[in-house]
Amino acid sequence: MPEIKVTPLGAGQDVGRSCILVSIGGKNIMLDCGMHMGYNDDRRFPDFSYITQNGRLTDFLDCLIISHFHLDHCGALPYMSEMVGYDGPIYMTHPTKAICPILLEDFRKITVDKKGETNFFTSQMIKDCMKKVIPLNLHQTVQVDDELEIKAYYAGHVLGAAMVHIKVGSESVVYTGDYNMTPDRHLGAAWIDKCRPDILISESTYATTIRDSKRCRERDFLKKVHESIERGGKVLIPVFALGRAQELCILLETFWERMNLKAPIYFSTGLTEKANHYYKLFITWTNQKIRKTFVQRNMFEFKHIKAFDRSYADNPGPMVVFATPGMLHAGQSLQIFKKWAGNEKNMVIMPGYCVQGTIGHKILNGQRKLEMEGRATLDVKLQVEYMSFSAHADAKGIMQLIRMAEPRNMVLVHGEAVKMEFLKGKIEQEFSIDCYMPANGETVTVTTNPSVPVDISLNLLKREMALGGPLPDPKKPRTMHGTLIMKENSLKLVSSEQALKELGLNEHQLRFTCRVQLQDPHSDPDTLHRIYTHLKSVLKGYTIQHLPDGTVMVESIVIKVSSSAEDPNTKVLLLSWSYQDEDLGSFLSTLLKKGLPSGLC
Amino acid sequence: MDADCVLLLPGVCQVLLDSGRSLPDDTTLEKLLDWLTGITEADKEGSLLEVHPCLLEFISFVVCKTSSDPSVISFTLKLCGLMGATEDGFKRLQESSVLDLAFSRQHWHEAGLWEDPCIRIGWIQGLRSMLLHSKALSFFVQADLTAQLLQLQTDTSLFVASAANQMLAHILLFFQPVMSAGCNTIGKKHWEDKRTQASIIGPGVTMDTSEDYDAVLAVTSKYLQESLVPKENTQFHQSLQTLKLLGLLLAQARPPLRDQLLQTAADPLEEVVTAGCSQLTLPLMDVVLAAYSSSTGEGVPDQHVARLLSSMLTMSKPADLIQAAAALLSRGHPDSVHAAQAVRILLLPLDLITGQALLGTNTAADKHRFSMVDQLKSKTSCISMICVCLTNTPQISLMPADLLPCPSASIVTAVLSLLRICSGDSSSSPAGCPEVFRNVISSGKVQKSALEALTGLSSSPGVKGMLIEVLAVLIEYLNHPDSDPIVLHKSYQAVVQWLSVCVDLSFTTDKLQQDLVEVVKKRVCDMRWEVRDSTVEFLGKLAGVLVSAKVAPDTSEVLLGGCCSASLLREALQDPESYVRASAISALAQTLAHSWQQGAAPTQQQTDIVSRLLEILSQDTEGFARRAVVQYFIAWFSSRSSSTSRSPSTSTCSTSPLLMNSVSTVLSLGSADLDWEVKVHTLELAELLLDEAFLGHRGYRKGSDTHLALPHPYAVVSDQTCTLHTHNRKRTEGMDSDLAIRLKTLVEQGVFSVLLSGLVDCDRPVSLKACQLLIKFRETVCPVSIEAPEETVAEVSCELPGWGWGQDISKTLGMTMSDQAKVADIAANGAHVFDSEDCKENVNKGGDSVCVRVCEVLRSLGLDAKLDILIQSSDHVHNSPLSLLQDILTAGAAHSHPDTQPGQEVIVDCY
């Protein structure tokens, strides 16, 4: 039976670096190629040596698909294509292709900033890699080769995020990447056809998290910023170049407008222009409200948000600053943090997850005394807030997607094992389908039962109808008998005569023979007659003939009798039958092996 | 271990014991283990458990209770193995009855944890760390762990199965008997590339270990014998794993072990070879080659192994055959007979498709011909086989002529024919196989492989004369309307490569040059930015190749038929895609390099380019283009100074005023840029000015010309600390006044300001580079070893702006506003601090800005301390063990805090 195999090299029972290998219909597809920001060595990249025998990924993989621009999904891409040497097709949506290099550059900077970093990709590698990317449009079926096709669907989450439907013949898999089933301020909700894939591979970040509504979080965020500003404090929001920063900017811009606030909002290092450019360029990927209002006013042209200069950090009075990088581990955000940390009126809002070792991680865990360079200690007096604005489907959203796509099996990835376990139970209970949650390196194998299309000859259908069969109806499947032939890569069900003709073959008769010994102290003709009588009594309704040539015939089965040379009482019966009467032939040989009843005349 | 860490370690152990669930960061435990591994390696005495009893308590508790999170248990098993790696540590663990329990599979099975792959990984890796001494080996054998480990070979987890293999290989190799003969190093290079290396330098078998070792070897040998041959046609997993194990072993086994392994595996290997299982071809070839290499290392190859190798090269399935032949070549050909055979196999598909008779006329010898044709008719296998074949052609063409069935030029011709067939033209292959043509026509995969092969074939012997033919096909590809961007990119690469080898333009024709010009003109306006970028890059590389080959100055222009690549590149400066703009700038630099080297006066065109570049530097919204601009000036400046051997004092005078004026602008714009790499490149430019000003001066040593060695315009700058020098100065007045002049020039050019603003930059690479340059500056101008600099030098001053970096520098200097006012007063009164009239004016005018003496600034900034901090970088916070331990402790505290609300939980999501 055909199988589909799913092996996570990353994102199996964790939220590290997504990298999932799918083997379907003889094709190998890699889904995402993420990086783990928590490591400084080779552990940050997926280890491809587990999946190739000769180290040549290009020979092994048919294509690579990137779901969105977050680094835990695309961060290892230049490593894979320029350093490991994968040279096959890479697919991602247009916005992802445009934004990916910005994020990769952003991370390269962070990496170069660290001491002793080696073996990391360069800017040129990022560019060379992006030049190899084939952009995808939503809902457009792309033929990777003669057998493999892929189709992208809107996933929400971030600008350009896509789910992807992978199809080889009648087998298919859907990979969700990260997705969001509720629209937010700048993006719409994920959507997919009722494509009934064999496997739906879904992220499960918020598999069990009871999340307060997004509106609630937004209100809370605005309230905290406002309070801090009111008491004359400064608010620092460390962000990555693109993504949730834009959502928070829209939020603050609207709020400032409504409340007529005067405190300045700054955005560091010219990122707003870049973001504006991409959001304008890919306006069709944003949500309906933004698209509608775009003509009157571009949501991403901010009136209140100005470019930041480092000298502003020392200005007196309240202000809000968006600064990179998002985990407070280097650069401008760290520099501002150091300046403002000592004042309890100030506030830092961390809008996302921070890896171990970063200042962001430390302050979120509650550290109040930080050892800085040169053994200096920094007292953290400012208020620290964590507000995750990342847009993932929660349990309800995941169930909603399952209802939409109606998969035959589920595979959960990109989540914590404990949470997955809970969701797995829920899915299996509600949908009665198998749900798997492989750890990294483990393979899920799902057997598929593919439907193979077969053409039926008109003659065969006519003959069937002539025998009183019903008219063909696609809604009422039924059994047809005929000869299956394969010609020019297609299957046809035809009558055996037609098959012989089409294939240019001669008809041959196949007969089975068998010898049965029995003890019967009669002459050979008598024994034959006794057999005839016995069969007549046992096989009612069958055509049984005693022929003058010394044989008995039951349908196509021929029975002959001869005596053994050594012992005339030992009779050797020779049975021969055509393959159409195979069942009857077997039955007769078994019957005669038991001997003849004594009462026969 | 650091005293602070010692204090924290018990608390950390407690946190790990208390946490009923995994820590919020999944990297923490691995980093903790990394740190402890480092400490264990340094601790030769193995006294870690004694010094830190909390570790033993922790291991013991986790192992006994089994209630911890699986990730903590896995960590503990690894830690346990690590601690048991020394005999003392092992003894201590055994005394505490920890070992039996920790490495008992039954124990974890009963606890319901064995199913979790992370426990199995911990179990294997723990054992692996521990098995470094005879006592551990005895423990391993007595606990009958060999069989259990062998079972894990076929684990459902790739990671577990691979670790089990590595572990078995480690035991057999590490403890293998020592013979007087040298260990096998043949084929070692290849195996060194493998992911995890089993160390071959072990203690060897001694009286203590021989019995245990034999026990492990016996069980493993039996397993090898039984599991090498797949039982059923569909179950290859076990055979595959066993072959991998055998491959690992044979690559490093010394004679007694190697002979034993070969003896054990010979018959099953033959059976596997005969069975011809496609899935096993590559690992099987690895094993056979490892066996072959190791046996040839002793002199005469083992006949049995040689037969196996021959069998591999006569397999019936063409796809397997191709794989085996490719594996043989990639591992380095063991002997000429087999190498020649592999070459014939690999060239066969190319021969068949193109009909180029690469294998000569006596093709009857190639018994695979018919089956190969059959396979080539199937599209998937055709593409796959031809790609493998193409990948190997460059290597084949470089092999000794006696191994080749045809000259290299024939291979090039065949590749060219294939490229023509791919684009739908089969006219050059009348003897080819038309039934296969349809499989390769328009196949991007084959086109890419063929173009790569063609690029590689350029350096083959005797192919230079084919340049015209090669260029014709490549231009056809560049012209083809359906060529995808990657195919075009590879075509350009091939053109550059062939031209770099055959720089003699007499090989080309006017028609070809004209065609190339036309196609480049067309592609530079392509709709796709990828194509435009490749075209622009091509123009730059072409210029670079021809300059480095020292051909006639205007060769590139000649080659491009006077189409003037510079004008195309100037157009490309307006490209909407920043990548293309950046490539155009660096291509321009390469195009103009020759005229710069000649020291020719800039043309009007070059002047226009310069003003456009300065515009880009000040206005372009993308960093790539701005970085390229600074790199352009670096290239200009350095090519000019490297080409002439003028004395430092005269160099500035002979430099083009256009360049010097531009450099000042670049320094001022670049240092104020938002992009960190633009700033780093600006500092590199400043370094060139420093080099030029001080070269030859006592104490000054030119820094590493990192920028010249960079492979491309946006390469990462390597952080090389500059050499500091001690000075044994013998002053002369003339030299000092000369130095003062140079110093003043540098200040006027803005070099000093660039360095100071870089020093207080928030991006570490920028401040590090600036700090290094400032120290170099100081050591030349006013070294700390000299009490006071000469008066003329000491009097040179510069201006610090009253905002931004100027303020930060003032703060660093400890100057309060009142100090500044005082300085300004002194200046106004004509006191000795300032001697520059300009500076006085600025102070009086600007109000905020302040004048300071360069030497005083250099001596007061605390540059050496700052350099120490910058070299440590943010790593000091990120990666120190202390930071890690503190993070675990605070995470534990946050986790157990009663006030923590569920909504405030930090969720691991995405980034």
Side-chain angles (χ1 to χ4, degrees), chain A residues 179-193:
Chain A
Y179 65 105
N180 185 18
M181 294 300 286
T182 50
D184 64 23
R185 281 196 175 256
H186 69 299
L187 295 168
W191 180 87
I192 195 162
D193 281 327

Side-chain angles (χ1 to χ4, degrees), chain B residues 502-819:
Chain B
C502 323
V503 279
D504 184 356
L505 290 185
S506 62
F507 281 122
T508 66
T509 63
D510 289 348
K511 164 90 173 56
L512 272 180
Q513 288 169 18
Q514 190 53 40
D515 288 350
L516 188 60
V517 169
E518 290 306 318
V519 79
V520 165
K521 275 183 177 170
K522 185 174 102 178
R523 290 299 182 191
V524 88
C525 307
D526 199 282
M527 288 279 285
R528 299 158 293 183
W529 73 263
E530 296 90 342
V531 177
R532 298 198 301 277
D533 189 70
S534 297
T535 310
V536 166
E537 275 185 335
F538 164 73
L539 290 173
K541 279 180 193 155
L542 193 61
V545 160
L546 297 169
V547 167
S548 65
K550 295 194 170 92
V551 293
D554 54 349
T555 308
S556 63
E557 287 297 304
V558 171
L559 185 74
L560 293 172
C563 79
C564 192
S565 57
S567 68
L568 288 177
L569 293 173
R570 269 204 339 252
E571 288 291 312
L573 293 179
Q574 318 281 345
D575 199 281
E577 175 60 47
S578 65
Y579 272 139
V580 183
R581 294 197 295 277
S583 296
I585 296 163
S586 45
L588 270 172
Q590 284 164 305
T591 312
L592 297 173
H594 194 267
S595 72
W596 291 340
Q597 279 173 11
Q598 298 301 306
T603 59
Q604 183 55 40
Q605 191 193 51
Q606 285 181 23
T607 314
D608 293 346
I609 289 172
V610 167
S611 52
R612 174 71 194 120
L613 292 182
L614 293 178
E615 212 175 292
I616 288 174
L617 184 60
S618 64
Q619 288 168 15
D620 203 301
T621 53
E622 301 278 343
F624 304 120
R626 301 199 304 270
R627 290 174 205 169
V629 171
V630 185
Q631 289 280 57
Y632 177 98
F633 286 100
I634 288 174
W636 188 2
F637 197 93
S638 46
S639 70
R640 174 206 58 95
S641 51
S642 65
S643 63
T644 50
S645 54
R646 60 178 75 81
S647 75
S649 55
T650 58
S651 63
T652 312
C653 326
S654 64
T655 302
S656 144
L658 176 65
L659 173 61
M660 290 320 291
N661 288 339
S662 312
V663 162
S664 291
T665 317
V666 171
L667 288 178
S668 105
L669 289 172
S671 61
D673 202 279
L674 294 171
D675 183 273
W676 70 282
E677 267 174 288
V678 172
K679 288 185 280 196
V680 170
H681 292 325
T682 307
L683 286 167
E684 285 166 12
L685 183 59
E687 189 178 13
L688 286 179
L689 287 158
L690 279 183
D691 286 347
E692 185 164 84
F694 294 141
L695 202 58
H697 185 78
R698 63 186 186 274
Y700 188 84
R701 193 190 290 175
K702 196 173 172 181
S704 54
D705 288 336
T706 49
H707 49 272
L708 295 176
L710 295 179
H712 53 78
Y714 339 116
V716 177
V717 182
S718 61
D719 290 333
Q720 294 189 22
T721 49
C722 62
T723 322
L724 303 180
H725 315 283
T726 51
H727 299 263
N728 184 10
R729 296 178 65 181
K730 279 187 183 171
R731 297 169 174 229
T732 61
E733 206 166 295
M735 277 177 78
D736 284 325
S737 68
D738 182 36
L739 183 63
I741 294 166
R742 293 173 197 208
L743 182 57
K744 217 168 166 180
T745 312
L746 286 173
V747 171
E748 281 162 10
Q749 282 170 331
V751 172
F752 195 57
S753 303
V754 168
L755 300 186
L756 290 180
S757 73
L759 186 71
V760 291
D761 198 275
C762 62
D763 289 319
R764 190 191 70 93
V766 180
S767 46
L768 177 63
K769 177 88 189 166
C771 191
Q772 288 170 337
L773 291 179
L774 279 166
I775 289 174
K776 206 163 156 183
F777 202 141
R778 183 192 67 194
E779 292 304 294
T780 310
V781 176
C782 48
V784 279
S785 54
I786 305 292
E787 269 182 32
E790 275 302 311
E791 204 175 326
T792 48
V793 176
E795 279 172 359
V796 180
S797 59
C798 72
E799 191 184 340
L800 292 184
W803 45 266
W805 65 266
Q807 250 179 354
D808 288 342
I809 292 288
S810 299
K811 271 187 204 163
T812 317
L813 291 171
M815 296 166 79
T816 60
M817 288 309 284
S818 59
D819 287 338

Side-chain angles (χ1 to χ4, degrees), chain A residues 155 163 179-183 189-191 392-393 396-398 400-401 404:
Chain A
M163 302 193 274
Y179 65 105
N180 185 18
M181 294 300 286
T182 50
W191 180 87
H392 293 273
K396 205 172 127 193
I398 296 169
Q400 199 183 332
L401 188 82
M404 262 187 189

